[in-house]
Amino acid sequence: MLQYLAGQAQDLVLNVLAAGPIPRHVAFVMDGNRRYARQNQKRVQDGHADGFVALRRILEVCMKLRIQCVSAYAFSIENFKRSPEEVEALMELAEKKLLELCQHGDLLDQYGVRLNVVGRKDLLPAHVRAAADKAESMTRDNKRSILNICMPYTSRDEITTAVESSVRQSLVSQGAQTLNAKDIHISEKDIEANLLTSLGDSPPLDILIRTSGVKRLSDFLLWQCCEDTQIQYTDTYWPDFGLRELVPILLDYQRREWRKQIQCKPPQ
């Protein structure tokens, strides 16, 4: 009965929120899994597993609100520098959860969500890369929303790759056979079009949220959040992050959007 009432209360809150402006794209730096594990006398891998439960919980909330795109920073390229035991545990968890997410009848299938694994997939172990390819393939025809699992990812690597692609495209368009500075014509729009998120059809980033109280971006979506993105920090560790923490962030977004509309409204 208590669980039913909690579900009803959550749906009521979501219905109220849905009456206002809804962001198109929300991104999460899912920080604090290891500190959460230490605080709760758990193994580090159990903290990461609880973090995945939090991702499912938040993803379902976002889907009920009809948010078009959710991006989650799951594994940085720099994370390969962690202990071999932790990296191996994270890779095993990633393989298991990627396949679990895209099963028939599971969350992505239920809400029509296409999964994109964004990052240097060539750096992943073969079994994780195979799981990522399978998950992407199984959800490719889902059209309602997008889930970007960013792993292994850094924004600097994404921007570098986008610039390289833009240069190659410029040379091809000019019919150039060798690299010559005078033949290269690229713009910000060219680079943006070649970002991994753009190639995966992600809309512009409206909100970026980092948990655990750390106030830095940690090389995540730096290009995407450089202009008109609301950046929010919360002290809550990611596994504990839920609707209670998300609601004030969404209300703040709605207040800003309403303020913009008022400012842009011509005088009577």
Side-chain angles (χ1 to χ4, degrees), residues 179-191:
L179 184 63
N180 191 320
K182 67 181 180 63
D183 297 320
I184 300 173
H185 304 281
I186 62 174
S187 66
E188 288 185 11
K189 290 184 177 180
D190 295 321
I191 296 172

Side-chain angles (χ1 to χ4, degrees), residues 25 69 114-119 136 140 146 148 158-159 161-166 168-169 189-203 224:
H25 184 178
C69 182
R114 186 172 85 239
L115 186 144
N116 296 327
V117 179
V118 175
E136 289 183 318
R140 188 52 57 210
I146 296 169
N148 294 321
E158 179 187 30
I159 294 171
T161 302
V163 171
E164 290 174 346
S165 297
S166 299
R168 284 195 298 269
Q169 291 166 5
K189 290 184 177 180
D190 295 321
I191 296 172
E192 186 165 354
N194 281 291
L195 294 173
L196 295 174
T197 51
S198 299
L199 295 173
D201 299 323
S202 298
Q224 291 86 340

Side-chain angles (χ1 to χ4, degrees), residues 102-217:
C102 62
Q103 288 176 352
H104 178 70
D106 206 350
L107 195 61
L108 303 193
D109 184 55
Q110 178 183 351
Y111 288 99
V113 183
R114 186 172 85 239
L115 186 144
N116 296 327
V117 179
V118 175
R120 290 283 303 279
K121 287 191 286 185
D122 57 298
L123 298 179
L124 294 170
H127 63 98
V128 182
R129 192 162 60 249
D133 291 341
K134 183 176 181 180
E136 289 183 318
S137 177
M138 290 179 68
T139 62
R140 188 52 57 210
D141 293 330
N142 292 346
K143 303 298 184 183
R144 177 174 160 184
S145 301
I146 296 169
L147 170 61
N148 294 321
I149 299 290
C150 301
M151 62 171 290
Y153 172 93
T154 63
S155 189
R156 286 172 297 173
D157 180 79
E158 179 187 30
I159 294 171
T160 300
T161 302
V163 171
E164 290 174 346
S165 297
S166 299
V167 170
R168 284 195 298 269
Q169 291 166 5
S170 176
L171 291 174
V172 169
S173 68
Q174 298 296 323
Q177 300 298 315
T178 58
L179 184 63
N180 191 320
K182 67 181 180 63
D183 297 320
I184 300 173
H185 304 281
I186 62 174
S187 66
E188 288 185 11
K189 290 184 177 180
D190 295 321
I191 296 172
E192 186 165 354
N194 281 291
L195 294 173
L196 295 174
T197 51
S198 299
L199 295 173
D201 299 323
S202 298
L205 181 60
D206 293 312
I207 305 176
L208 187 148
I209 300 168
R210 179 169 187 148
T211 56
S212 87
V214 175
K215 296 182 178 180
R216 59 175 182 266
L217 297 179

Side-chain angles (χ1 to χ4, degrees), residues 71-86:
S71 294
Y73 201 3
F75 192 86
S76 168
I77 293 174
E78 299 298 318
N79 289 156
F80 282 115
K81 297 176 182 178
R82 294 182 178 178
S83 70
E85 294 79 15
E86 183 176 355

